[in-house]
Amino acid sequence: MSVWQLVAVGLVMLLGLVGVLLPGVPGQAIVWAAVLWWALTDMTPTAWGVLIGATALMLLNQALKPLLPPRRPGESGAPRRTLMIGGIAGIVGFFVVPVVGGIAGFVGAIYGTERLRLGSRGAAWTSVRSVMRATGYATLVELFACLLVAGAWLGALLWG
């Protein structure tokens, strides 16, 4: 696979990661389709292993979706921008501090944004709990699954 195709796969994957945060965009399917595109073009055992793992993880995520609270961003009282900032910080955090940084970046950015908006520490933590109950848990689980797939793809490129 050429460098330009790998860059295109990476950009599609990034589009899928951001798509997880946007309503109506099938971010999880876009990330999986990028891995499928790479595996069908690369045709190595590593590529197929990543595709099989990505498929299993995405199916597990779909099975867990009914167990999580539905996404209702209007119920949290926080602006939509708060969740977007949290999601982007989660994506960056996942790659800066592998795996753990995704969760810490997501929750930490929501807290920081709400602290700036509301002014007090107590009100910010109350808002974080409200955001996480209303939409955060479902978003975080889906984003984390997609980040694991993107990380596996990147790891396979670098070390495979």
Side-chain angles (χ1 to χ4, degrees), residues 89-103 105 144 147-152:
I91 292 169
V92 171
F94 183 86
F95 293 105
V96 171
V97 180
V99 183
V100 179
I103 298 169
F144 196 68
L147 283 169
L148 286 175
V149 169

Side-chain angles (χ1 to χ4, degrees), residues 1-124:
M1 189 171 221
S2 74
V3 172
W4 292 111
Q5 283 180 317
L6 289 175
V7 169
V9 169
L11 289 174
V12 168
M13 210 168 284
L14 183 62
L15 176 72
L17 290 172
V18 173
V20 169
L21 306 173
L22 300 172
V25 178
Q28 190 174 5
I30 293 171
V31 170
W32 182 83
V35 173
L36 177 67
W37 174 22
W38 171 67
L40 289 175
T41 306
D42 202 12
M43 299 288 254
T44 62
T46 303
W48 286 101
V50 171
L51 178 63
I52 291 168
T55 302
L57 186 61
M58 297 298 186
L59 288 174
L60 177 65
N61 188 29
Q62 287 298 318
L64 290 176
K65 250 184 190 172
L67 302 175
L68 295 169
R71 290 186 188 188
R72 292 184 296 249
E75 287 184 12
S76 70
R80 182 96 181 121
R81 148 182 83 88
T82 299
L83 192 61
M84 285 297 292
I85 291 171
I88 291 169
I91 292 169
V92 171
F94 183 86
F95 293 105
V96 171
V97 180
V99 183
V100 179
I103 298 169
F106 185 80
V107 176
I110 290 174
Y111 172 75
T113 303
E114 289 301 285
R115 175 78 193 257
L116 287 174
R117 185 174 74 92
L118 299 172
S120 74
R121 190 174 32 177

